[in-house]
Amino acid sequence: MQPLAATSNHSRAQRSLQSRQRSQHGAVRAPVRALGAQAADLGHPALGLLLGVPAVLYAAWWYLDRDKPWQGGRRIEALRRWVVWKYMKHYFPISLVKTAELDPSQNYLAGFHPHGVLSIGSFTNLCTDSTGFTSLFPSIYPHLTTMNMFFRVPFFRDTIMTVGLISSDKESCSHILSRNGGGNLLGITVGGTKETLNARPGSSRLVLRNRKGFIRLALMHGASLVPIFSFGDNDLFDQYENSSGFWWQWFNDKLYKMTGINIPLFHGRGVFQYSFGLLPYRRPITTVVGTPIEVQKTPHPSQEEVDRLHQRYLQELSDLFEAHKLKYNVPIDQHLEFC
């Protein structure tokens, strides 16, 4: 039976790869068609050439570079240290707390909680060096996963790769975790967009009870699990209640089934007033990095092994939350709720 299973897995992988390549090829042609149409509207050959040549060159670049988001991206340290990220950090402000050492000879899979409305905590801490990640964890190189759709947007894909964002596909995660020599940390906002619907001030609900794919990945690669909790990440926006009778909830249910995406109905503050707008509130975020959970490499983990490690991870995350919550104004009777 094993050869048949291997063949089946290989076939599925091939179909997934072919589907992604077709999608990428379509995305590559899109900017060329768009700029070509603009050139035609101008009605001037020289202007059309000025627009068309860069479009063709970028399309060629995109084609040659199409697999990069699944192969570790393209980090540029200078952009991760860009001064604008310091202003972003001080706006809230955001701070990073270390509770244990990370051995640079190992690779790590870090679960980041909560997702928040816009993942501001995870981005600022893992995709920039404004909170001092490099100083706290020397020789550890962080990456953060995000949705594939962002890597189909011209120029934007290249920009987000420079700060360490990569595809959330299994293939992409495995590429980071299987690197020789260690020193790599893969950050995953485990709750995903589903958890954004719980992102409101004071909430401690995490979409984690049935999220076990990251546990299986850690076992397959022997990557130590690192629980991370970001206090204050849910306090940056107000969000309308997603009651079962509310039309927005119906819309989100349909959207999630079709695309795997949820869109929270939220608001923050404005530029010159504090009652309504799309800017996040200026409220502190404190991200606490927990103690690594050592994981024995198991190339083909059983469901029992996955469940056992998952339960341990939930307990370690809960312990991390309980140990630090009083420092960051969380009520003593409030606990993490897994759903």
Side-chain angles (χ1 to χ4, degrees), residues 153-174:
V153 181
F155 301 106
F156 183 66
R157 70 181 288 276
D158 303 283
T159 302
I160 62 178
M161 279 195 290
T162 62
V163 293
L165 281 164
I166 60 172
S167 166
S168 58
D169 277 358
K170 179 181 177 181
E171 172 191 350
S172 176
C173 295
S174 295

Side-chain angles (χ1 to χ4, degrees), residues 54-92:
V56 170
L57 291 175
Y58 183 76
W61 160 254
W62 193 344
Y63 178 79
L64 295 173
D65 195 57
R66 62 191 182 278
D67 291 328
K68 200 65 177 176
W70 289 266
Q71 296 174 350
R74 186 183 297 102
R75 287 165 53 102
I76 299 178
E77 292 302 322
L79 294 182
R80 288 172 51 85
R81 295 188 175 93
W82 193 20
V83 68
V84 73
W85 305 132
K86 287 287 185 182
Y87 290 108
M88 180 176 176
K89 169 206 167 182
H90 291 303
Y91 172 85
F92 296 97

Side-chain angles (χ1 to χ4, degrees), residues 245-264:
F246 187 33
W247 68 270
W248 191 259
Q249 179 63 42
W250 173 87
F251 167 75
N252 263 313
D253 289 341
K254 297 293 184 183
L255 182 66
Y256 190 77
K257 289 178 181 177
M258 294 171 58
T259 65
I261 297 172
N262 282 124
I263 302 176

